[in-house]
Amino acid sequence: MFKFMGNKRLIFLLTGLVCFFILMGLTLGNRAQMTMPEKFVKDTVSWTQGLFYRPAAYIAGFFEDIRQLSVIYEENKTLKLTLTQYARDTQKLNELEAQNKVLKDALGFTERQKQANNYKYRIAEVVTVNADPYNNTLSINLGQKDGIKKDMAVMTIDGLVGRINQVSEFYSNVQLLTEINDTDSNSKAIAVTVKGRESQSFGMIESFDVKTGNLVMNKVDQADPMQVGDTVITSGLGLVFPNGIEIGKIVSIGLGEFGITHKVLVEPKASFRHIREVYVVEVPEVR
């Protein structure tokens, strides 16, 4: 019985070897077509692999997307910080350029004034603006401790803007030329002349025309040689404003109310809006 069982195992082994060699013979070599068993096995394996591959691919892609989102988030954060720093640097650069321009203009202004007269110009910052239409004034950061006195002329690098009308220890108020009014006792007229014809022309700026935005010059003799386009400057005859400070340009000349003198409109050279810095004119005392 044991001998039969041993022979049976040998028969199975030989049969398996024969099948194996037959299978190797069928699969080896270049064949144009696959056998039906091979097709069945290949399709079955491919279908089974597909069942596992798709979910695995989705999961792998999901974690890859999370990793990419993390990278994009960090890059976006870095870009935002870079843009913020760039914006700050740009703003700082613009401020420095603006300050540089102001300093250059101030230097050029003082150099020109040194050649024109011996006045001392005290630079001051505007700290407050009173936009009251009936009392349009500026407040500057110079006062009595700085030697500022009432009625001192105040100007920008473009021209005259007003005069000091109130002084405290550390601050002063500036009444603008727009507040000149011949009916107001607190307002002071400006004695003026024409640049280049100081000995021939004379007039008094007594009011401001709100509609046209021009200063009104009266008491101009009909024989006065002033013309449209002439530059109007202070004459110094009024004993309030020193002579030689530019005020504006003549834009029109017409007859006055009674036809005896001329009425002249003067376009201010300086702007009265957004004033940040002014110069208080200090005239040396004559000894």
Side-chain angles (χ1 to χ4, degrees), residues 165-233:
N165 68 338
Q166 288 183 351
V167 183
S168 63
E169 187 67 21
F170 301 100
Y171 298 94
S172 301
N173 283 351
V174 179
Q175 185 184 51
L176 299 177
L177 296 183
T178 55
E179 297 306 304
I180 292 180
N181 189 339
D182 53 358
T183 62
D184 186 358
S185 60
N186 294 321
S187 176
K188 294 184 181 295
I190 308 173
V192 297
T193 184
V194 171
K195 190 174 183 179
R197 287 195 293 271
E198 288 85 354
S199 61
Q200 303 174 38
S201 297
F202 175 80
M204 296 291 294
I205 292 180
E206 298 178 332
S207 61
F208 178 80
D209 190 336
V210 178
K211 293 182 180 180
T212 63
N214 295 321
L215 296 164
V216 180
M217 184 198 307
N218 295 316
K219 298 181 174 59
V220 179
D221 193 276
Q222 292 188 15
D224 196 298
M226 66 175 61
Q227 301 175 1
V228 173
D230 284 346
T231 299
V232 177
I233 61 175

Side-chain angles (χ1 to χ4, degrees), residues 34-46:
M34 299 174 64
T35 63
M36 290 299 296
E38 288 177 325
K39 292 181 180 179
F40 175 76
V41 172
K42 181 174 178 59
D43 291 341
T44 302
V45 172
S46 298

Side-chain angles (χ1 to χ4, degrees), residues 139-146 148 167-172:
S139 180
I140 60 175
N141 62 346
L142 294 181
Q144 290 179 354
K145 69 177 183 61
D146 304 295
I148 304 302
V167 183
S168 63
E169 187 67 21
F170 301 100
Y171 298 94
S172 301

Side-chain angles (χ1 to χ4, degrees), residues 232-259:
V232 177
I233 61 175
T234 55
S235 67
L237 298 178
L239 301 179
V240 175
F241 297 92
N243 69 298
I245 300 177
E246 292 190 2
I247 298 176
K249 180 179 65 175
I250 295 176
V251 293
S252 71
I253 300 176
L255 289 176
E257 293 183 359
F258 302 103

Side-chain angles (χ1 to χ4, degrees), residues 17-132:
L17 287 173
V18 171
C19 292
F20 175 72
F21 286 118
I22 292 172
L23 183 61
M24 287 184 62
L26 292 173
T27 57
L28 289 176
N30 296 325
R31 292 176 300 148
Q33 294 184 350
M34 299 174 64
T35 63
M36 290 299 296
E38 288 177 325
K39 292 181 180 179
F40 175 76
V41 172
K42 181 174 178 59
D43 291 341
T44 302
V45 172
S46 298
W47 181 79
T48 305
Q49 288 178 338
L51 291 178
F52 292 97
Y53 175 77
R54 289 189 182 92
Y58 290 146
I59 294 173
F62 174 75
F63 285 106
E64 180 64 20
D65 290 341
I66 292 177
R67 189 184 70 82
Q68 290 293 335
L69 285 175
S70 178
V71 172
I72 293 173
Y73 173 77
E74 292 298 329
E75 290 179 349
N76 194 26
K77 184 178 179 181
T78 302
L79 287 174
K80 284 183 177 180
L81 291 174
T82 303
L83 288 174
T84 302
Q85 185 63 39
Y86 175 76
R88 290 176 181 174
D89 292 342
T90 302
Q91 182 180 3
K92 187 174 181 180
L93 178 61
N94 292 336
E95 291 176 355
L96 290 175
E97 288 180 347
Q99 291 177 3
N100 189 38
K101 183 179 183 303
V102 170
L103 292 174
K104 284 185 177 180
D105 292 341
L107 179 61
F109 168 77
T110 53
E111 291 297 327
R112 291 194 305 270
Q113 299 308 314
K114 285 181 181 178
Q115 299 176 3
N117 49 57
N118 62 342
Y119 302 153
K120 185 176 181 180
Y121 296 87
R122 307 290 297 276
I123 188 169
E125 292 183 1
V126 176
V127 292
T128 60
V129 177
N130 184 1
D132 186 346

